Amino acid sequence: MRVKTPYIEALRKQQEDGEYTAKNSWESSKPPDRDLSPKKMSDSYHKVVLPLAQDPWLLDNYLNANGHIRLGTLFMDLDALSGIIAYKHTGESVTTVTAAVDRITINHPLKELCDLELSGQVTYATGRSSMEISLQVARVPNNGSKVLKEDVLMTCAFTMVSLDPSTKRPINIPSLQVDTENERRLYKLGENNYNAKKELSKTTLRKQTPNDQESDLIHAMWLKQLEYHDTNTSVHKPDNVVYMDSTRLYSSQIMQPQYRNRHNFMIFGGFLLKATFELAFCCAASFSHSRPTFLSLDPSTFDNPVPVGSVLYLTATVAYTDPPLVDIYAKSGDHKTSQFTKVQIRVDSKVRDIEHGRTKPTGQFNYTFLLEKSIKVMPRTYSEFMIWVDARRRVERVAAVMDDSEVAGDSSHGATRNGKRGMTE
C-alpha cells in the first residue's frame, strides 16, 4: 500500500499535535540506531506483477478509451514502486521523496494485453542523501523463466532523496556495495548520469546566455517571422507552422487526500506524473490534430512538494519540434520534408496555498511524442525563444546519452531515436 494510515486518523492526530510544534520539529536530525553500512543492489530489488490478462476488473483500471494500456496509470505505479525500493535501501526511519525522473523510454511497444511485471533496484548511491533507482516494465515470462530483452516494454530511472523526518533536511543513507561486472556497469551509468546533471546545472539559461549557434538560430527564426508579416513579399506563414503561444493548454485542480503519499499531507509524485503526462498528450494532440505516440519522458524535476488541499496549476506548451522550422546548420540535402515530427511538450507546474494565496513552482516535466505529420512550432517572444533553446539543448543531450548507452551496451535507455518505438495514450 502507498499509505499506511487512513487520512481521517492522520488528520485528527495532526490537529491534536498542533501540526509540528517547535519541540517536535527540531529534535535530533539523526534518527536513532540507523545502520549506514553498505548494501547490495539485490537488497533493494523488488518486483510487482499486474495480472492484467487474468483479472478483467484490475485491467479496467489500466485501460484507455481505445482498449490500450493507460500509460499515466503505469507512471503512478512506477513512482510508487521506486518508493518501496528506496525504503528497502534506507530503512523506515527517514522520509524519502521523488526528486527527479531522469528518463522514461519505450523499448518495445505493447501490442497485446498481457500480465506485466514491474521491477527495479537501487543502482547508484554514494552514501549521501540521494540515490538512483532503475526500473523496468516487462511482459511476465512464461514458466518462471527470465525476462528477455524483447519482452521489456519500458525502462526508467528515478532520483530519490532522503530527508530527516523532523528537520526535513537531507540525511545520509547507506552506500552501495558493487560486486559483479553488471553491477559495476549499472553503477557507472548512474555515476555518469549524476555528474552530467551537476554539469548541466552550471550551464542553464539562467546562468549562461545562448551560444553563437543558438543565437544564429534565434536570429534566423526572427527573420522568418518578419518575412511572414512583410506585405511586400509573397511569402506567407505555412499552415503547418504554429505559433508557440497558441499551443498552450492549462489545467487546475484541488489536491485531494486520495492521492497523498505515505506521509499523509503531501501529494505523491506518481499522481503528478500522470496529471502532467495526460495534459502533455492533450497538448500534442491539440497541436497536431492527430493522436500522438509517446516516446519518452526526458529529464524532469520535482522542485517543491504539493500539499493536500492546495490548488495545482499546470501549463503545457509545445517547446520544440524536430525537424525544426529553421536549421541553418543542416547539411546539404537534409531539408527534405519528413512525414514524421518529434515534438517536445514542456509542462510547468505550480501550487497555490488557498488560505494565503502564496504560489510557488513545483516542477518541470518534459515529454517527447511522435506525430505522423510535418508540423513546426515558432516562438515569437524572447521568453518563448528561451523555452525553445532549452528544449533543443535537452533533445541534443538525450541523443548524446542514448549514443553513449548504445556504445556501452546498455539497454535500459530504450531505443527511440529513430522514432519507431512508442505507445499512444
Side-chain angles (χ1 to χ4, degrees):
M1 292 180 64
R2 190 178 70 248
V3 295
K4 294 185 175 181
T5 306
Y7 184 72
I8 190 63
E9 293 183 14
L11 184 62
R12 286 169 178 165
K13 186 176 188 307
Q14 183 195 61
Q15 293 169 342
E16 291 171 0
D17 293 349
E19 192 176 6
Y20 303 119
T21 62
K23 178 181 177 181
N24 293 330
S25 295
W26 296 100
E27 291 177 352
S28 171
S29 61
K30 200 171 194 178
D33 302 323
R34 292 188 64 225
D35 181 11
L36 294 179
S37 58
K39 292 190 175 182
K40 298 180 179 180
M41 285 189 186
S42 57
D43 291 338
S44 63
Y45 178 80
H46 194 83
K47 73 175 181 180
V48 176
V49 173
L50 300 176
L52 302 180
Q54 305 173 48
D55 188 340
W57 286 110
L58 176 64
L59 177 62
D60 214 49
N61 296 320
Y62 286 83
L63 286 184
N64 63 20
N66 294 317
H68 300 141
I69 295 299
R70 191 176 177 186
L71 291 174
T73 307
L74 275 184
F75 293 168
M76 290 179 69
D77 288 347
L78 287 170
D79 184 76
L81 177 60
S82 68
I84 293 171
I85 292 169
Y87 280 107
K88 290 182 75 170
H89 182 79
T90 64
E92 298 285 336
S93 60
V94 300
T95 296
T96 301
V97 297
T98 307
V101 184
D102 297 319
R103 60 190 181 271
I104 296 179
T105 54
I106 300 295
N107 293 48
H108 299 91
L110 188 62
K111 297 179 180 178
E112 60 183 4
L113 296 176
C114 61
D115 295 346
L116 295 178
E117 177 185 285
L118 284 61
S119 62
Q121 61 190 356
V122 175
T123 52
Y124 180 71
T126 62
R128 303 190 70 177
S129 61
S130 67
M131 69 199 98
E132 179 172 292
I133 296 174
S134 298
L135 307 108
Q136 70 175 28
V137 179
R139 296 175 181 84
V140 174
N142 295 325
N143 303 321
S145 57
K146 289 186 177 181
V147 173
L148 301 177
K149 185 176 180 180
E150 57 267 26
D151 290 330
V152 177
L153 162 67
M154 184 187 303
T155 54
C156 57
F158 284 69
T159 296
M160 310 294 284
V161 172
S162 292
L163 308 174
D164 182 278
S166 56
T167 66
K168 306 299 185 241
R169 294 174 178 171
I171 191 169
N172 290 346
I173 61 173
S175 60
L176 269 182
Q177 174 184 322
V178 181
D179 298 321
T180 68
E181 189 62 34
N182 186 54
E183 289 179 350
R184 281 188 283 272
R185 179 182 64 82
L186 291 173
Y187 189 90
K188 183 63 177 176
L189 287 170
E191 183 178 42
N192 291 343
N193 190 36
Y194 174 78
N195 291 332
K197 286 189 289 186
K198 285 183 64 177
E199 288 300 313
L200 177 62
S201 66
K202 302 175 184 177
T203 59
T204 64
L205 285 167
R206 288 180 176 271
K207 298 180 180 179
Q208 190 178 89
T209 59
N211 60 35
D212 291 343
Q213 186 181 89
E214 292 165 344
S215 297
D216 289 344
L217 289 169
I218 291 171
H219 186 256
M221 280 192 289
W222 177 72
L223 290 176
K224 181 72 71 175
Q225 186 182 137
L226 292 181
E227 188 177 25
Y228 290 158
H229 290 86
D230 190 346
T231 57
N232 296 317
T233 69
S234 59
V235 177
H236 299 286
K237 183 175 73 68
D239 291 337
N240 70 333
V241 174
V242 182
Y243 289 124
M244 185 181 289
D245 58 354
S246 66
T247 69
R248 292 193 177 95
L249 285 185
Y250 303 90
S251 77
S252 59
Q253 53 188 313
I254 191 166
M255 296 292 95
Q256 302 290 4
Q258 287 73 24
Y259 294 107
R260 69 193 185 278
N261 62 19
R262 63 186 285 152
H263 308 296
N264 291 311
F265 301 106
M266 297 295 170
I267 298 300
F268 103 104
F271 174 80
L272 300 178
L273 283 178
K274 174 178 174 289
T276 56
F277 168 74
E278 293 184 349
L279 185 63
F281 179 89
C282 293
C283 182
S286 175
F287 170 65
S288 64
H289 302 291
S290 65
R291 179 171 289 275
T293 298
F294 171 72
L295 295 181
S296 64
L297 168 62
D298 302 320
S300 302
T301 57
F302 295 81
D303 297 328
N304 285 297
V306 177
V308 170
S310 63
V311 178
L312 179 71
Y313 296 91
L314 302 178
T315 303
T317 306
V318 176
Y320 184 77
T321 50
D322 184 19
L325 174 63
V326 173
D327 191 353
I328 59 178
Y329 292 93
K331 296 178 182 178
S332 178
D334 287 353
H335 291 284
K336 297 178 182 178
T337 301
S338 172
Q339 69 180 86
F340 294 98
T341 302
K342 285 184 182 179
V343 55
Q344 185 165 119
I345 308 295
R346 167 173 163 165
V347 181
D348 294 291
S349 65
K350 62 181 181 179
V351 66
R352 182 169 64 86
D353 181 308
I354 291 180
E355 286 80 8
H356 302 95
R358 291 189 295 258
T359 301
K360 60 182 179 181
T362 57
Q364 179 182 317
F365 304 85
N366 308 288
Y367 296 92
T368 299
F369 296 89
L370 181 70
L371 308 175
E372 290 193 38
K373 64 190 305 182
S374 175
I375 188 168
K376 319 290 184 185
V377 69
M378 171 175 264
R380 287 197 281 189
T381 67
Y382 189 80
S383 293
E384 290 176 355
F385 279 119
M386 294 304 98
I387 290 174
W388 187 89
V389 168
D390 179 63
R392 181 178 181 272
R393 288 181 176 182
R394 188 174 298 105
V395 168
E396 292 181 339
R397 286 194 301 269
V398 170
V401 167
M402 293 178 72
D403 281 342
D404 291 343
S405 64
E406 287 172 6
V407 171
D410 174 40
S411 62
S412 65
H413 290 263
T416 58
R417 284 195 66 187
N418 57 14
K420 295 181 181 179
R421 295 182 181 180
M423 290 180 65
T424 188
E425 175 66 354

